[in-house]
Amino acid sequence: MNRFKGEMGLILVSIVWGSGFIATAIGLDYMSTYETLAGRFLVASILLGAFNFRKIRSISRKTLKRGMILGVFLFTAFVLQTLGLEFTTASKNAFLTAVGVAVVPFIGYLFHKRALVRMDIIRAAVAMTGVGLISFQWSGGINIGDFLSFLCAFAFALHIFYTGEFMEEEDALTLTMVQMITAFVLSMTAVAVRGDSLLGQDPRGYLAVLYLGIFSTTICFLVMTISQKYTKPARAAVIMSTESLFAMVFSILILHEAVSVRMIFGALVIFLAIVLPQKEEEVVQAKVLGKDAV
């Protein structure tokens, strides 16, 4: 039951993130990339700080360190995704960013000597195929934007993996608050260096940032952090690949974008990746390198 609740939470996160693409597009019409990031992380930091005010003084150094690590991964991923989008197409950016789904299972193998589980690899490959069918329209050669988008995928994969690792011992609200404050400080540093400002912006930009800060950031990352306590990082990454599916749905419903047979088929493939059976014995054996390894 806990695993079911965790997976439902991750699907909810993916739905909200799918709608967040539209809010981000609106916000970027009135504010710069770094202003938008700083704004959404500021809103999240204030809200999480208000809910967690009584625990602030008792935060341990270990929790601060872990939250800051997640905050750095989060900020880095968002920045790389945005910078990549400046040099490559939106479809290539979306696809390469989603490569994180396939990267997550290898992080445990590379950094923690954990075995690669066959079903994790298969599920990630199927999910990647579905994401590719929905978003990928390759045009031109490989450029710096493609490379930055791939690095973004790696940063997101690190964030997903270590969120799952840290949640075994941490309070979700506190850990999420620390990483949001870290991401805000880094974003504001970038804003200051560029000479930008969060003041004097168009109200429509503020509304978009408010939506992103409350729903796509505060609620989503809190739910994601709690849900990953009951879900393996590799499976969490596959479930959150449905973000591209829900982004497609909201684009069709709100922006009236055209839908193709290929996109529908891609959605079905992603769904297949989620419902593929899990082998509990592999989950246990994956803790020790060499058992059930690919």
Side-chain angles (χ1 to χ4, degrees), residues 56-90:
I56 291 178
R57 292 184 178 180
S58 60
I59 298 177
S60 67
R61 290 185 177 181
K62 180 184 289 186
T63 300
L64 281 174
K65 180 181 178 181
R66 289 174 169 178
M68 290 173 69
I69 289 172
L70 293 179
V72 170
F73 287 153
L74 185 63
F75 172 77
T76 302
F78 273 113
V79 170
L80 288 172
Q81 183 181 47
T82 304
L83 291 176
L85 193 56
E86 293 182 8
F87 300 100
T88 190
T89 63

